[in-house]
Amino acid sequence: MKTRQPQHPTEPTLWTNFKRQSIQEAVIQLMCREGLKSVTMERVAQEVGIAKGTIYLHYRDKQQLLDEVKESALAPLHARLHEILGGDNSPAEKLEICANRHLAYFDERKELFRILLYEREVARVQGGRYQSERYRRLVREVSRVIAEGIEEGALRTIDPEKAATLFVEGCVAMVNYRLLHDQGDSVDQDARMIANVFLRGVSAAEDLSPTFVARQKVRRK
């Protein structure tokens, strides 16, 4: 007797992904329109146009829902950062481009991340960051770039992993500063500050590549 095979095995996955995306978009709309306090499972269900119980088929509670909204919002940034770190530029240029893209991404979505990072349980979110595979992978990639710079003689001999952690945390700290201050320097200025402060301590050269500013406009497109 032949076992009956499902006719469309991909449909449940596609439908589930679509439904979860719709729920997450509703959360973002609510947060940006009315603040974090407006995000309840009932309000999200109303925003999507589904029953409240349907939300619980996808998320066990509000905390998990907000965590997934944050992870989904960060995924494109980390994909871009890994692309930059795996590119053909010099180690110094990679680090400055990485810092620039990091700050620009949060600037473009300032209201969303201000809510996710400051209206939520900040200590819990920050503590969990260091345990995530996404964070550890980014540190590994930056560490690899720094190791390449050391091998090429562009950077002095230091512990690549420790230096990578300092660089990543510098980017995070600057993002936090920019989220809390509406007025200040441009993304390019702050990214260059991160790279200069970081690289002047490890670089064998006096400054960053003079071609960086000219190339930056093209790379950000």
Side-chain angles (χ1 to χ4, degrees):
M1 182 176 178
K2 294 183 179 179
T3 302
R4 185 177 179 182
Q5 299 294 328
Q7 296 180 350
H8 303 288
T10 61
E11 285 184 358
T13 299
L14 291 173
W15 175 248
T16 298
N17 289 342
F18 172 77
K19 186 63 68 176
R20 291 170 78 91
Q21 182 178 351
S22 298
I23 292 170
Q24 290 183 24
E25 288 175 353
V27 172
I28 292 173
Q29 291 171 6
L30 275 173
M31 284 194 302
C32 293
R33 190 173 68 234
E34 301 177 34
L36 184 62
K37 291 182 179 179
S38 70
V39 180
T40 64
M41 301 302 251
E42 184 173 358
R43 285 294 308 279
V44 172
Q46 292 174 353
E47 191 81 10
V48 181
I50 58 177
K52 178 181 176 181
T54 304
I55 304 289
Y56 287 101
L57 295 177
H58 299 277
Y59 303 99
R60 65 176 177 271
D61 53 27
K62 174 181 173 179
Q63 196 66 60
Q64 184 189 29
L65 175 54
L66 290 173
D67 284 343
E68 290 212 16
V69 168
K70 178 174 70 73
E71 290 301 305
S72 295
L74 289 173
L77 167 63
H78 282 263
R80 179 62 182 136
L81 294 181
H82 293 306
E83 180 182 341
I84 292 168
L85 293 168
D88 298 328
N89 299 98
S90 71
E93 287 182 320
K94 286 180 184 179
L95 293 178
E96 186 167 356
I97 296 169
C98 186
N100 192 288
R101 188 59 222 148
H102 202 142
L103 299 188
Y105 189 85
F106 281 89
D107 256 40
E108 292 160 6
R109 300 156 183 81
K110 180 172 285 188
E111 289 306 313
L112 171 61
F113 285 110
R114 179 179 285 147
I115 292 170
L116 287 175
L117 294 177
Y118 288 100
E119 289 191 25
R120 293 188 66 196
E121 304 166 46
V122 178
R124 185 196 67 82
V125 173
Q126 289 183 341
R129 183 177 78 239
Y130 304 110
Q131 303 301 321
S132 72
E133 174 56 27
R134 174 173 288 160
Y135 179 86
R136 292 197 297 267
R137 182 188 173 196
L138 182 57
V139 170
R140 288 197 301 270
E141 288 288 310
V142 174
S143 177
R144 177 185 57 77
V145 168
I146 291 172
E148 289 176 357
I150 294 171
E151 186 176 350
E152 294 171 3
L155 305 180
R156 66 182 175 86
T157 302
I158 52 174
D159 185 314
E161 186 173 359
K162 290 181 180 178
T165 302
L166 288 172
F167 176 77
V168 172
E169 286 300 306
C171 290
V172 171
M174 186 62 78
V175 164
N176 290 342
Y177 179 89
R178 294 180 66 85
L179 288 175
L180 291 175
H181 298 80
D182 291 325
Q183 303 297 324
D185 293 331
S186 69
V187 164
D188 286 347
Q189 289 173 310
D190 281 346
R192 190 166 182 81
M193 178 182 178
I194 292 173
N196 274 332
V197 169
F198 181 78
L199 287 169
R200 283 182 186 276
V202 298
S203 178
E206 292 184 358
D207 204 348
L208 302 178
S209 170
T211 61
F212 173 79
V213 176
R215 293 177 182 174
Q216 187 59 31
K217 292 182 180 180
V218 176
R219 291 200 182 96
R220 289 185 61 189
K221 291 181 179 180

